[in-house]
Each structure stands twice: as C-alpha cells, then as structure tokens.
Amino acid sequence: PPRAISQASLKQNPNFLSTMLMFPPVFNPMFQQAPCVPTVPSRGISLSLACDRDHLSEYQMVVRKQLEIFEARPEDVDSVTQGRKKQVVLGQVGLRCSHCAEFPLRARNRGSVYYPMTLEGIYQAAQNMAQTHLSQSCKHVPDQLKQDLKQLRERRGVACGGKRYWTSCAQALGLVQTDRGLRLRRGPAGLQSSGPAG
C-alpha cells in the first residue's frame, strides 16, 4: 500500500493536492489510504498546510493559520452548545480558534468553536468564524490581525480554492466523515495521536 504523505512530502511536491483534486472530494481513494500526517501539537492540529500557497488567496491562507481541529473531550461534551441539533460526542472533531483554545469555553467569545457534521462543512464553518469571531469578537486575536483579515476579505479573489480544496485538505489531515460527525483516522495509514488534542 502507498506510504503516508508527510508535511515534508507536501513541501517537496506542491502539486500533490492538484492531483488529489482530480478525484471526488469525499471518496478520494488516495486520501483514504495515504493521508498527509502533520505534526500534532498539544493544543490541536492546525488547518494550515504548506501547499495552501499554491491554491488559495492570501485571505484564505491567513484564515487557515488561525484555526485548528481538535477532538472533543468530556468538558466539551458536557458544555451547552447553542443552536446545535445534535449533541456533541466524545472524540468528535471540531474546529476552533487557536487564539483562545487554551481558555475555558465559558471564557471564550461566541463563535469560537464549530462542529461540522460533514467534510464539506469545514469550509463554511471557517468562513463564518473568520467573519465574526476572528475579525471582531475574539479578544485574543491581535488588533492588527483583525484589521488584516478585514482588508484581505475586501480584495477580489478571496474565495480562491473553495470547498473542494478545503475538503481534500481535511482528508489529507486524516479526517473521516461518520454518522456521528467528523473523526480522526486511526491506524498505520492514518493520523497518529497520543490522545484527544486539547
């Protein structure tokens, strides 16, 4: 079977995701067998990849650098999530602001965490977070970064990349879609982690 794709491989081969995008986003067989394996920091896994620069506008690249994926812990499951139709379950993958991730949920501003139910939903969740939480309400995001995000969003071409690229990147990071939300792949061909990221 193919070997797992590392961050170093992505740097050496920036056209890797161009090849991936030729396949349907959810059922890409190459991603299913050989997901990109990023470095796993203790707080979470950054959405940012080296190959973003070849596919995205500057705005989208900056947005991805501010967000990370994580696995829901007991305290996340027990918390009240406004507007959710389904209860968050242990180990479910969410998307959160990296600037306030270390603070208790009650101390974060609204819109700091999303739990997309589908791979395609990651893109829209990120756009919502960028326009409200990152650009306005999060007190831990530097003012200069908030201003940069607003200015970059007003430029033409901010939508470069789109849902298909974001979905393919999610698969490269080891995310899989289940009937109980998104999960991180486990096993020799998947993302290795010592436990839920926090």
Side-chain angles (χ1 to χ4, degrees), residues 44-195:
I45 303 169
S46 174
L47 282 186
S48 180
L49 292 173
C51 45
D52 288 352
R53 68 173 69 93
D54 300 310
H55 300 275
L56 298 176
S57 66
E58 187 177 357
Y59 172 72
Q60 297 287 355
M61 286 191 293
V62 173
V63 169
R64 287 174 66 83
K65 289 178 180 178
Q66 318 311 316
L67 302 175
E68 61 186 32
I69 57 175
F70 70 101
E71 293 177 294
R73 298 172 297 183
E75 55 266 39
D76 300 309
V77 174
D78 293 338
S79 67
V80 177
T81 309
Q82 242 180 346
R84 282 197 60 81
K85 295 180 181 179
K86 291 187 177 182
Q87 175 66 35
V88 174
V89 296
L90 192 66
Q92 183 176 341
V93 171
L95 183 66
R96 69 186 178 191
C97 168
S98 61
H99 296 274
C100 58
E102 295 181 338
F103 295 89
L105 283 172
R106 63 180 179 276
R108 304 180 206 170
N109 290 80
R110 187 174 181 178
S112 65
V113 177
Y114 276 75
Y115 289 93
M117 291 299 294
T118 64
L119 291 166
E120 292 89 344
I122 295 173
Y123 172 82
Q124 190 56 57
Q127 306 314 305
N128 292 343
M129 294 178 74
Q131 293 183 39
T132 55
H133 184 80
L134 294 176
S135 298
Q136 301 176 35
S137 64
C138 184
K139 59 187 178 183
H140 303 288
V141 174
D143 290 338
Q144 183 59 54
L145 178 55
K146 289 181 179 179
Q147 183 176 345
D148 290 344
L149 282 168
K150 291 176 183 177
Q151 292 177 347
L152 288 171
R153 189 168 63 246
E154 293 171 358
R155 294 182 185 176
R156 298 179 65 180
V158 296
C160 177
K163 293 182 181 180
R164 193 174 186 184
Y165 176 82
W166 283 67
T167 298
S168 295
C169 286
Q171 291 176 300
L173 289 169
L175 289 179
V176 292
Q177 188 173 307
T178 75
D179 58 358
R180 302 191 75 183
L182 301 179
R183 296 281 178 158
L184 280 172
R185 191 193 309 276
R186 292 286 185 259
L191 187 65
Q192 299 299 310
S193 174
S194 58

Side-chain angles (χ1 to χ4, degrees), residues 28-44:
N28 187 324
M30 293 183 70
F31 271 131
Q32 290 176 1
Q33 296 183 38
C36 161
V37 180
T39 300
V40 183
S42 59
R43 293 193 312 162

